[in-house]
Amino acid sequence: MTRVGVNQTQIKTTNQSLIIHEIRKHKSLSRSELARTLKLSAPSISFNIDDLISRNVIIETGAGKSLRGRKPINLEFNNRYGYVVAVDMVSSTTKIALADLSGTNVLEYGYVENALHITADVVDRIIAEIGAMLERQNIAEDKLLCICVGSPGIIDPHTNAIIYAPRVKDLPGTALRDRLADRFRTKIMIKNDMNCFAIGEHLYGAGQGYRNFINIQLDVGTGAGIILNNKLFEGSNGSAGEIGLWAMDFKDVIHHNRIQLDNVFDHHVSLFGLLCKVKDMYPEVLSPLDGEDITPHNIANYARLMFNAAKSGDERVLRIIRDGVVELGCVLRNIHLLLDLELVVIGGLMLELGDLYLDPLQRFCAEHVSERLKIVPSSLGDKAVLYGGIGEAINVVIEDIVNCRD
């Protein structure tokens, strides 16, 4: 973070942000350690620390170690200064996490079932569950400082308006955010779920320590979140990472002046796409489900049948999976040539295939993309979106603190 000397208010805001981030990074520091690390004067450190202590943002926790002279007083960030809520709407079961400001201490998880279509009723049930969680944890509502919702679809990063989200029903524009804001007098953020996934892996998971990476979710569809130079890249209008809609063949456009759904990336690489190919070509592999249509409700059951066939060595299924790996590898080659990435984090149900999927993908990338590009599984799994939401909410809370909006 760069210190910018514009005016006294700007200097105070910047210095307090530096102090809070440094203390949170190291868990506990003395004033002298902060002055050395941040290269700020002792009076500047004391002025800002005293202000943050008076507001209960920073707390003194006792004497530290010293070889001689007076022992320094250790300082810690007050993780119970307030609380945040993250909401994950990725699947038909909405997940909710209530956390303190440490970022890693989740006090309680909540769940709202039958939420495949995100309607006003579903949002009301989410609101009720958040209220119940606060009550069970004995947390006053004015201590809830931010709610971050990870929603499927394209979300305007500036207004939180939903631009395109087929699963969100009758909640146009900012209606989803507004419905939450009508109940909770706190800051509300709506973010794309895959962007939350990327933030979660960057802060707490497989992406820690990497400046440039992409996460790819392979589930009912495919989606991506992009971290560039340690920051989430959302694009101009919030649609960065919508790789599932990529055209895979220009012939449709040349001959038919349109891009058909069976010619987009989702159809070739997603779990749903591979299952459809298996069902069309080798229906007996999936016959225990008696020919049901593949839907978000039953895709996990279909996936297990396909995975079991692959793990038992069914060459027909393995060939379809390997073809999907090659197509994903070709897309990753193009992405890497454009962005020069360090890492690809793979998430979603496809991970249940384990090395049967990841090993050939790593080999393809080593041969055709770059030996330095690492392919790793998500380390947060189905909690990545929640942890990303927690991290984003905490960043907003800290920004409000240093700008005296707390």
Side-chain angles (χ1 to χ4, degrees):
M1 193 176 296
T2 304
R3 293 188 292 277
V4 182
V6 177
N7 55 51
Q8 290 304 310
T9 301
Q10 177 76 49
I11 291 170
K12 179 182 176 183
T13 298
T14 302
N15 287 345
Q16 289 197 356
S17 182
L18 286 165
I19 288 167
I20 290 172
H21 280 91
E22 199 66 20
I23 291 175
R24 292 187 75 237
K25 177 181 174 183
H26 294 280
K27 309 298 184 189
S28 178
L29 286 174
S30 67
R31 296 178 189 230
S32 59
E33 288 171 326
L34 279 167
R36 267 196 316 273
T37 303
L38 298 176
K39 296 181 172 55
L40 294 173
S41 67
S44 176
I45 289 290
S46 288
F47 170 78
N48 286 290
I49 289 295
D50 288 346
D51 178 61
L52 292 169
I53 288 175
S54 73
R55 294 155 61 196
N56 202 32
V57 176
I58 299 296
I59 53 178
E60 295 178 316
T61 59
K65 295 179 180 179
S66 176
L67 295 177
R68 61 182 183 275
R70 191 172 64 177
K71 292 182 179 180
I73 301 299
N74 285 331
L75 305 167
E76 292 183 8
F77 181 71
N78 181 9
N79 291 323
R80 296 299 175 103
Y81 175 81
Y83 301 86
V84 297
V85 162
V87 180
D88 171 7
M89 293 178 161
V90 170
S91 70
S92 58
T93 297
T94 291
K95 296 186 282 290
I96 306 168
L98 171 63
D100 66 18
L101 301 184
S102 68
T104 55
N105 183 27
V106 175
L107 305 178
E108 185 177 340
Y109 291 103
Y111 303 91
V112 172
E113 302 290 346
N114 301 316
L116 179 63
H117 298 298
I118 302 165
T119 61
D121 172 70
V122 168
V123 177
D124 288 344
R125 287 191 283 134
I126 291 169
I127 288 170
E129 181 63 14
I130 293 172
M133 292 167 73
L134 291 170
E135 189 173 340
R136 286 193 292 268
Q137 294 298 322
N138 235 2
I139 296 171
E141 286 193 10
D142 63 359
K143 299 292 282 183
L144 177 59
L145 304 184
C146 187
I147 298 173
C148 181
V149 178
S151 169
I154 299 173
I155 315 295
D156 187 311
H158 309 293
T159 66
N160 285 203
I162 294 172
I163 299 171
Y164 173 77
R167 283 181 49 213
V168 179
K169 306 293 184 182
D170 301 321
L171 292 166
T174 61
L176 173 57
R177 184 199 64 188
D178 296 343
R179 202 169 187 91
L180 287 161
D182 285 344
R183 171 61 181 82
F184 297 107
R185 303 303 182 206
T186 191
K187 184 156 286 187
I188 310 291
M189 289 191 298
I190 312 296
K191 295 194 77 68
N192 172 267
D193 50 3
M194 290 302 98
N195 287 338
C196 288
F197 193 111
I199 294 165
E201 292 291 346
H202 189 225
L203 292 176
Y204 310 112
Q208 290 182 88
Y210 291 91
R211 291 177 57 85
N212 301 290
F213 75 88
I214 187 171
N215 71 269
I216 305 283
Q217 189 81 354
L218 299 170
D219 248 319
V220 177
T222 52
I226 306 165
I227 300 292
L228 296 179
N229 293 322
N230 280 328
K231 293 182 180 180
L232 176 70
F233 179 75
E234 295 178 276
S236 301
N237 301 296
S239 62
E242 293 292 334
I243 62 173
L245 301 176
W246 283 14
M248 298 293 284
D249 191 334
F250 59 84
K251 292 176 184 176
D252 265 358
V253 180
I254 291 175
H255 298 299
H256 306 291
N257 197 32
R258 67 177 185 274
I259 298 171
Q260 299 183 92
L261 287 177
D262 63 357
N263 192 33
V264 297
F265 188 61
D266 263 354
H267 184 77
H268 292 256
V269 176
S270 72
L271 181 56
F272 178 81
L274 298 188
L275 282 168
C276 286
K277 291 178 183 178
V278 171
K279 189 176 183 182
D280 288 344
M281 298 169 68
Y282 313 112
E284 64 275 13
V285 172
L286 307 177
S287 59
L289 291 178
D290 296 326
E292 295 176 31
D293 289 337
I294 302 171
T295 70
H297 291 293
N298 64 20
I299 192 169
N301 297 329
Y302 269 113
R304 289 187 189 98
L305 293 174
M306 183 177 76
F307 295 161
N308 288 339
K311 290 172 182 178
S312 65
D314 189 319
E315 190 56 37
R316 302 168 301 171
V317 173
L318 286 169
R319 190 182 312 113
I320 289 173
I321 292 170
R322 284 194 293 263
D323 288 347
V325 166
V326 169
E327 291 184 279
L328 173 58
C330 289
V331 167
L332 288 177
R333 172 184 165 84
N334 293 338
I335 293 172
H336 180 68
L337 289 169
L338 180 66
L339 300 178
D340 190 18
L341 302 173
E342 304 166 86
L343 179 76
V344 177
V345 179
I346 303 292
L349 272 174
M350 198 76 82
L351 281 182
E352 291 188 21
L353 275 173
D355 292 343
L356 277 175
Y357 194 91
L358 293 175
D359 281 356
L361 182 59
Q362 183 70 73
R363 286 195 300 271
F364 180 95
C365 289
E367 183 176 353
H368 300 287
V369 184
S370 169
E371 291 184 351
R372 290 179 293 182
L373 181 65
K374 294 181 180 178
I375 311 292
V376 300
S378 161
S379 62
L380 296 178
D382 63 2
K383 290 187 170 61
V385 173
L386 287 176
Y387 274 99
I390 290 168
E392 272 293 274
I394 290 172
N395 285 339
V396 167
V397 170
I398 292 173
E399 183 179 338
D400 286 347
I401 288 171
V402 301
N403 285 285
C404 295
R405 296 194 294 260
D406 54 321

